Amino acid sequence: MKKLIWPGSTQLAPVPAVLVGTGGNNWKNNLITVAWVGIVCSNPAMLSISVRPERYSYKALTELREFSVNVPLASQAAIVDWCGVVSGRDHDKFAEQKLTALPGSRIQSPLVQECPLNLECQVKDIIKLGSHDMFIAQIVAVQVSEDFLTGSGRLDLEHDGGVLGYAHGHYFNLGKCIGHFGFSVRKKSGPIIRK
Amino acid sequence: MKKLIWPGSTQLAPVPAVLVGTGGNNWKNNLITVAWVGIVCSNPAMLSISVRPERYSYKALTELREFSVNVPLASQAAIVDWCGVVSGRDHDKFAEQKLTALPGSRIQSPLVQECPLNLECQVKDIIKLGSHDMFIAQIVAVQVSEDFLTGSGRLDLEHDGGVLGYAHGHYFNLGKCIGHFGFSVRKKSGPIIRK
């Protein structure tokens, strides 16, 4: 298959599309949509988000040095998109999207009650890279909606359309489960296909 | 909906699951599977990968200061899984998985010909975080398989099952396209649903 060579660009896919929440300490509650987010360390659990300095949330992030990462369902794609298009300078995003600000257990910034999975994050370092500054943060607590736990207490985000993915400018839900980590070497049982 | 509060953990989802290639300069060609990967800057285009120092690829990454990120199709999930389970100390991953080492245009490390999308990356910084070191790298070139371009030259990875996602220990393909960035405010035309 022939390859074309292009200049460097941000073609990684799929990436998460999450709602980052800030507020408290005289900052109004706000949300910003971030796709430049990823896990960067397992122990301690850490992630990074990258945000342009000209975004309204940037100053809150640098002053508060904390934020929530709210993992949305595919069915919440329109909310995620809207929060990425309009600015907190002109909108009360929680009120206009009828979202509930849930108190964090370890941070003052609000979590989004309606998202099934919420990560409470404390900033450890801010690195200037160019168009974006990278906020490296420890995930100090996780909140999960009880309805998304199986009987055995395992997180199962596959109902209600599953979590939201983002690939090359388009939002997707997740499709079929192909197998779990290690399936390729579990020869006796073969790949585990979730029905 | 009631929330449960858990200790901090790496629950972000979905994340990409990519093959990171290293080789050249007296290093044998090798691949490591990485899910702790994300875009960190748009201009210049940059990403980060996080790798445990005890992994076989770690020394190659620190000495070569470059790598390829190969974005697999969902149909390549078993290859991705296998490359994440076995070590390059004991295996020739390219040969055993019948993968073709494609030369980079800007790096010496091999790309995976069979993956539709390949990012050539040069390391700018390495940050120790705990269990993992984070490699911050510039994406200096992109190679794409011609078969995945539409007539108008747009990248379309949706055929052949689309790109591979990873969520809470399980591999997924992407499901339906819900809309593209900005769909929530395009009232006249409504969400763009790709058939």
Side-chain angles (χ1 to χ4, degrees), chain B residues 27-72:
Chain B
W27 286 93
K28 79 172 188 183
N29 286 351
N30 192 32
L31 294 168
I32 183 177
T33 299
V34 172
W36 295 171
V37 53
I39 297 293
V40 297
C41 190
S42 295
N43 185 17
M46 300 179 85
L47 56 72
S48 79
I49 63 169
S50 289
V51 177
R52 291 178 187 268
E54 57 267 37
R55 294 294 295 261
Y56 179 68
S57 290
Y58 178 84
K59 202 160 176 238
L61 287 166
T62 53
E63 290 200 8
L64 293 166
R65 292 186 73 87
E66 55 156 51
F67 56 87
S68 67
V69 166
N70 304 279
V71 178

Side-chain angles (χ1 to χ4, degrees), chain A residues 52-71:
Chain A
R52 292 179 187 268
E54 56 268 35
R55 295 294 295 260
Y56 179 68
S57 290
Y58 178 84
K59 204 162 174 234
L61 287 166
T62 53
E63 290 199 6
L64 293 167
R65 292 185 74 86
E66 57 157 49
F67 55 87
S68 66
V69 166
N70 305 280
V71 178

